[in-house]
Amino acid sequence: MLNSTRQAILTMVLACLMFVALSACLNPIGEPSVDPDERQRWAIPLLQTQFSLEDALGGFDFEGTLLDQNGLRLVRRDTVFRRFPIRSINFPGLTAPFTDSVTVVNLQDLGVNLQVRQIEFIAGRLEWLFISNDPEDLEVELTLPNFTINGDTLVISATVPANGSREGFVDLENHFFDVGRSQQIFASYTARTPAGEPRLLVGGLLQIDPDFIPRTAIGSFDSLSVSLGSGSIITDFFAAFEPNTAALKDASVVFDVVNQTTVPFNLESVRTFASLRDGTEFDFGTPIDDGVSIARSPGFGQSTQTAVIIDDTNSGLVSAATMFPDSITLEFVGVANPERLQEEFTLDFQEEIIGSFVFDIPLQVQFDGFVIDQEFTFGDIEELDRVREAEIQLSSSNSFGLFASTQIFILNDSLQVIDSLFTAPRQLLAAGTLDANGEVVSATDALVSIPISDETFDRIRQFPNARARVFLKTPEGSDVFAQLDNTNSLALSVGLSFEYAAE
């Protein structure tokens, strides 16, 4: 429910309805009159409120887009994930010993399963260590065929002191690291005394720092798993609605995936749920649970787009939306080359996979007991103690396809409800006449007068603050939906007709 002393603003996104309660005016509902007994009867305005969809949409900073295409449609895009697949290449670091002048190291023997055959570095470090027990200094030259820069093989040269060691590192920026399909590292070295005599080192080590940044990666990427993370859409636009007070007609959501890589991916959902206002979570599921194939880009700098339609036939997302949750959370994973194609792909550090939920929903809604509040006061009436034979006058005009009834509550000084004017809400407004498409053909106007008992008015004299509450509801019949339009409006005037007792 909306409680505001200034304006009652009702906002909806998935059903996207918004009303603006305008401030009270001072136009009288009726003029003072004199009956045959020459008793004067007065009519004083208490509240005039108009709920205008057009006014509301003009003054609301809405994140999505509302289009008037033979009735309003909500078109809204929320990005759920934006990931660079190359960052998911797992390289836990590598320490390779070499004990001979020619060494071949199998990565598998080191417990490393590198899912690529070549990496080009933006940043990284290759650390090395030479150990000697020779009584003379040694000039060492280490050749590493797996590492190249500008097409040249990486060669490390250093002088190792007698019976000592020497260490250092190579900045791998712009270097290529190529292990091929064999997933092997090769190292060969020469060690010579100052006189040029060959010697052997006691040993040495190569270590690649795991905190590297790749520019490109080449490989088959067989079942490479790319975590797309857990993205939450904060649905603060639902805050104005009580859960399950509206239903949506033909509502569906498109999950849109843009793939900038040439690698085929399967998109799989780990979990999709809505966080409800009562603190519970509602798992709604989507077709992505079982995996959806994402088309690959035809080439670098290009992209493909894959759309997955989610509606009430394959997901509980629409049901979750009518509960007006606080947020919707979606957790996904992408599996590269799920068919294990026998070909190589190239990943670039700039290439992304982007997933977005696109709401494109015709705003045809069903309401069940949705309410709008507007506060006013009887305290502006002069000599309230002399008022007798009071009647509430309700004047209204409705161009929504919704029934409306009203109740007027009496509030204490803390604006808490202590009484009401009517035993049950009074049917106030018949719905505007709807055609077969749910559009309003004509507005409905009404004017009713409702007597107030002396006992009730005594409470008003003591507590003059009041609240008018309008209840909105779709006409009877589960198949009846009202199509919202910019021109829809609902106007309500509340006045008091009464006599003054003699002084």
Side-chain angles (χ1 to χ4, degrees):
M1 298 181 184
L2 303 177
N3 297 317
S4 173
T5 57
R6 295 165 295 182
Q7 290 183 327
I9 301 177
L10 167 63
T11 323
M12 171 182 177
V13 161
L14 203 54
C16 200
L17 174 61
M18 183 175 181
F19 298 111
V20 169
L22 304 179
S23 58
C25 73
L26 298 178
N27 295 326
I29 292 177
E31 294 294 332
S33 61
V34 179
D35 66 14
D37 297 332
E38 296 190 356
R39 293 185 303 173
Q40 288 185 323
R41 189 160 186 86
W42 303 86
I44 302 296
L46 299 175
L47 170 70
Q48 180 167 311
T49 297
Q50 178 170 326
F51 305 100
S52 168
L53 188 59
E54 184 176 16
D55 291 342
L57 297 177
F60 185 65
D61 182 16
F62 198 71
E63 295 179 11
T65 303
L66 283 169
L67 304 178
D68 195 356
Q69 299 174 339
N70 298 319
L72 288 177
R73 300 181 65 87
L74 167 65
V75 181
R76 175 188 171 95
R77 176 182 290 269
D78 283 286
T79 299
V80 179
F81 61 77
R82 191 183 193 102
R83 294 289 187 270
F84 298 88
I86 198 170
R87 298 179 183 176
S88 295
I89 295 174
N90 181 27
F91 190 60
L94 172 66
T95 300
F98 55 93
T99 58
D100 205 343
S101 58
V102 177
T103 301
V104 178
V105 178
N106 293 307
L107 294 186
Q108 187 175 3
D109 295 339
L110 300 177
V112 175
N113 180 24
L114 190 60
Q115 293 173 298
V116 298
R117 72 160 181 83
Q118 184 188 85
I119 295 175
E120 180 187 6
F121 292 92
I122 293 176
R125 284 167 60 104
L126 172 65
E127 299 176 354
W128 51 265
L129 170 67
F130 303 149
I131 305 172
S132 172
N133 63 358
D134 198 276
E136 296 185 72
D137 291 350
L138 297 180
E139 297 296 327
V140 179
E141 188 173 87
L142 177 67
T143 301
L144 299 172
N146 298 90
F147 294 88
T148 58
I149 181 169
N150 298 324
D152 297 326
T153 299
L154 176 62
V155 178
I156 299 172
S157 300
T159 300
V160 182
N163 298 308
S165 63
R166 182 73 183 274
E167 62 183 350
F169 72 90
V170 176
D171 185 346
L172 290 177
E173 182 181 5
N174 298 324
H175 283 69
F176 286 86
F177 173 46
D178 194 335
V179 294
R181 293 185 180 275
S182 64
Q183 297 283 293
Q184 293 178 323
I185 293 180
F186 300 90
S188 63
Y189 73 86
T190 60
R192 298 182 183 277
T193 65
E197 297 178 358
R199 294 287 191 270
L200 289 176
L201 297 173
V202 173
L205 287 175
L206 291 175
Q207 181 169 301
I208 301 177
D209 192 330
D211 296 327
F212 72 94
I213 302 175
R215 175 177 282 112
T216 60
I218 300 175
S220 64
F221 304 110
D222 184 3
S223 301
L224 171 68
S225 180
V226 177
S227 174
L228 302 175
S230 178
S232 291
I233 302 171
I234 306 301
T235 52
D236 50 0
F237 35 77
F238 287 153
F241 270 64
E242 289 296 325
N244 301 311
T245 58
L248 308 174
K249 180 181 180 182
D250 299 331
S252 65
V253 176
V254 176
F255 188 69
D256 184 51
V257 184
V258 175
N259 184 10
Q260 298 176 350
T261 78
T262 57
V263 185
F265 274 89
N266 259 14
L267 182 69
E268 300 174 6
S269 56
V270 179
R271 191 185 175 203
T272 51
F273 66 92
S275 297
L276 305 182
R277 297 187 200 177
D278 61 3
T280 60
E281 294 176 347
F282 176 78
D283 289 276
F284 51 80
T286 71
I288 307 171
D289 294 352
D290 298 325
V292 173
S293 178
I294 303 302
R296 55 195 281 194
S297 166
F300 180 74
Q302 303 179 64
S303 63
T304 59
Q305 194 164 339
T306 302
V308 182
I309 296 176
I310 301 172
D311 56 27
D312 55 6
T313 68
N314 57 25
S315 170
L317 177 58
V318 175
S319 297
T322 61
M323 299 178 190
F324 303 118
D326 291 329
S327 64
I328 294 173
T329 301
L330 311 112
E331 185 174 353
F332 296 102
V333 65
V335 179
N337 193 12
E339 301 298 325
R340 300 187 173 183
L341 301 177
Q342 295 301 306
E343 61 179 289
E344 287 193 334
F345 306 96
T346 300
L347 277 177
D348 188 271
F349 79 106
Q350 300 179 80
E351 293 173 338
E352 295 179 284
I353 296 181
I354 305 167
S356 304
F357 266 110
V358 182
F359 296 87
D360 186 355
I361 300 172
L363 293 186
Q364 291 182 286
V365 299
Q366 282 185 328
F367 288 93
D368 182 14
F370 192 82
V371 300
I372 302 127
D373 288 342
Q374 179 67 63
E375 294 176 4
F376 64 96
T377 180
F378 290 89
D380 293 335
I381 301 175
E382 296 181 5
E383 300 184 79
L384 192 59
D385 289 343
R386 293 179 53 204
V387 170
R388 298 292 185 272
E389 298 186 24
E391 293 181 349
I392 286 288
Q393 292 186 347
L394 301 173
S395 175
S396 56
S397 180
N398 183 18
S399 65
F400 279 100
L402 306 169
F403 281 121
S405 57
T406 190
Q407 176 64 277
I408 295 179
F409 297 104
I410 300 171
L411 311 178
N412 62 18
D413 294 338
S414 301
L415 301 183
Q416 296 174 324
V417 175
I418 60 173
D419 204 348
S420 60
L421 265 61
F422 319 131
T423 303
R426 292 298 182 99
Q427 182 67 49
L428 175 65
L429 291 171
T433 305
L434 301 177
D435 62 15
N437 296 320
E439 298 178 6
V440 175
V441 177
S442 60
T444 300
D445 299 322
L447 175 63
V448 296
S449 296
I450 306 169
I452 303 176
S453 68
D454 292 340
E455 179 182 1
T456 299
F457 207 83
D458 284 341
R459 300 294 300 274
I460 292 174
R461 293 186 181 96
Q462 184 179 2
F463 301 102
N465 292 321
R467 176 181 299 142
R469 175 168 295 174
V470 177
F471 300 82
L472 300 176
K473 188 172 183 179
T474 306
E476 293 298 329
S478 59
D479 59 340
V480 178
F481 285 77
Q483 171 66 59
L484 304 183
D485 187 271
N486 273 357
T487 60
N488 293 150
S489 66
L490 184 154
L492 171 66
S493 296
V494 180
L496 186 70
S497 172
F498 59 93
E499 294 181 8
Y500 273 131
E503 297 187 37

